[in-house]
Amino acid sequence: MSPQTTIVLLLQGLSLFSLVLASDPDPVQDFCIPNPTPTSPTTPKHVTAATTIHPCKDAAEATAGDFVFSGMKTPGNFSETGFASIPVNPTTFPGLNTMGMSFVRADFKPGAINPPHFHPRATEIAHVVEGRLYAGFVDSNNKVFARVLEKGEVMVFPRGLMHFQMNVGEVPATIFGSFNSQNPGSQRIPAAVFGSGIDNSLLEKAFGLSSKEIVMMRRKFDPKATVKP
């Protein structure tokens, strides 16, 4: 085998290996209802059942209730912008543990939006249960794929691509979203840019905004931050 062929096969193998590692691991049993252990004083606050695989409790102790979730019957708490969401993962629904999936209920008052955001570890499928929503995503060539979705329609948002929704109807709208990871992650673009502590001078150059405008944006997306013009 020539050195060139060996290198090509090695690169192909590494590519396949990286794709395998990018997914949730396959379960090795029928199910795994988490059996949480007491939190250690050194355990980071952000570590939850969604980010940690706990030992499984004895399958004989599992009940039907472990595989049923009733917390999506009504909307969650609405923000000042008229948007509400109920994320569902193994933290709130133990039966999802190791299944490689999670979901969310999102509600929009008329005119409300779910701002541009992305999920680094999952593709999302959104089903419009009620109302009309303008929804879409932007690919890596900055091409937007968007349209108004009617009740009963479904749209897919590829993993890692920025997407958004806005209620364009005169009545409340509801979508149910499903992810192919039990911990899809979510990063909102406005908050990531203006609420994360990126240096002001960089933001001024990147967006063509004045120092005063940057401060205004910071106060909007990170009210706890202390910023000066």
Side-chain angles (χ1 to χ4, degrees):
M1 183 181 295
S2 69
Q4 292 85 354
T5 302
T6 301
I7 292 174
V8 170
L9 291 176
L10 179 60
L11 290 176
Q12 289 177 338
L14 289 174
S15 176
L16 177 61
F17 185 62
S18 65
L19 288 174
V20 171
L21 290 180
S23 305
D24 285 10
D26 288 333
V28 293
Q29 64 280 313
D30 290 342
F31 53 82
C32 174
I33 305 302
N35 186 19
T37 55
T39 303
S40 166
T42 60
T43 301
K45 293 182 179 180
H46 67 273
V47 174
T48 66
T51 57
T52 302
I53 303 298
H54 289 291
C56 309
K57 71 179 183 181
D58 191 329
E61 298 177 3
T63 67
D66 290 323
F67 304 96
V68 177
F69 182 74
S70 303
M72 294 176 64
K73 294 180 180 180
T74 57
N77 296 321
F78 284 95
S79 67
E80 294 179 356
T81 62
F83 175 73
S85 66
I86 303 176
V88 183
N89 54 51
T91 302
T92 53
F93 187 6
L96 287 178
N97 192 44
T98 73
M99 295 300 167
M101 64 181 301
S102 55
F103 50 98
V104 64
R105 170 176 175 152
D107 291 272
F108 304 74
K109 292 183 178 180
I113 68 168
N114 188 5
H117 63 284
F118 67 93
H119 307 289
R121 294 179 291 275
T123 292
E124 177 183 2
I125 292 182
H127 172 221
V128 181
V129 180
E130 294 289 347
R132 300 173 68 246
L133 289 151
Y134 172 70
F137 65 90
V138 180
D139 72 6
S140 56
N141 293 315
N142 284 335
K143 180 179 179 180
V144 63
F145 297 83
R147 55 165 284 183
V148 173
L149 302 178
E150 306 286 347
K151 177 179 178 179
E153 292 189 306
V154 174
M155 188 169 190
V156 62
F157 304 115
R159 183 177 68 183
L161 295 187
M162 183 186 73
H163 54 284
F164 48 84
Q165 298 102 19
M166 178 174 66
N167 184 354
V168 294
E170 297 180 354
V171 297
T174 301
I175 62 173
F176 285 173
S178 179
F179 306 94
N180 63 340
S181 171
Q182 74 174 44
N183 183 32
S186 181
Q187 191 161 33
R188 295 176 181 270
I189 304 301
V193 173
F194 296 105
S196 61
I198 297 175
D199 187 81
N200 279 13
S201 59
L202 185 148
L203 295 178
E204 291 171 23
K205 294 177 181 180
F207 295 98
L209 299 175
S210 68
S211 176
K212 184 177 180 179
E213 290 171 324
I214 292 295
V215 169
M216 290 176 61
M217 296 298 285
R218 282 198 182 282
R219 287 173 177 165
K220 179 177 182 180
F221 292 104
D222 187 9
K224 296 180 181 179
T226 301
V227 290
K228 298 181 180 179

